[in-house]
Amino acid sequence: MTPIRCCIACKTRKQKQDFFRIVADNEKKAIIDKKQNINNRGVYVCKDKKCISNLEKAILKNRVNLKIDVESNSILEVLKELGEEVWEN
Ligand SMILES: [Zn+2]
């Protein structure tokens, strides 16, 4: 059975592979967990431009509890990268 996860932006529940997974490394730097196998707490966000930009806004306004120990600047960089990836598809 595939694990079900929840988007941190829109709270939709979906299968794990339908999300982007972001984890924090030991230096609190956000990394995209492309294979979804990094053994560290992660956050999930839909592969959707809207969710990515809503999450960016929430982070900038400090309105989201990410539940992972990560620097906001580094997660914002990662989200920018993911946003560009979504445009291309
Ligand atoms: Zn979402």
Side-chain angles (χ1 to χ4, degrees), residues 4-81:
I4 300 295
R5 293 291 182 265
C6 177
C7 171
I8 193 160
C10 70
K11 314 291 181 200
T12 301
R13 297 165 77 87
K14 283 191 282 208
Q15 293 186 345
K16 206 176 145 177
Q17 70 264 29
D18 293 330
F19 291 114
F20 288 126
R21 183 172 197 257
I22 303 165
V23 298
D25 70 9
N26 295 334
E27 269 117 43
K28 300 187 183 184
K29 201 174 166 318
I31 34 181
I32 306 164
D33 182 10
K34 288 206 164 137
K35 290 182 177 165
Q36 305 203 339
N37 59 5
I38 298 176
N39 191 14
N40 219 338
R41 282 191 80 128
V43 290
Y44 294 84
V45 63
C46 299
K47 295 179 178 175
D48 184 297
K49 187 80 193 165
K50 212 172 146 200
C51 281
I52 293 167
S53 85
N54 284 343
L55 181 55
E56 279 173 341
K57 285 178 208 152
I59 292 169
L60 287 169
K61 291 178 183 166
N62 213 358
R63 280 197 190 142
V64 62
N65 178 6
L66 291 169
K67 294 178 186 146
I68 59 170
D69 198 10
V70 68
E71 280 174 6
S72 351
N73 280 345
S74 94
I75 195 163
L76 286 169
E77 261 171 52
V78 158
L79 288 173
K80 199 171 158 240
E81 211 176 298

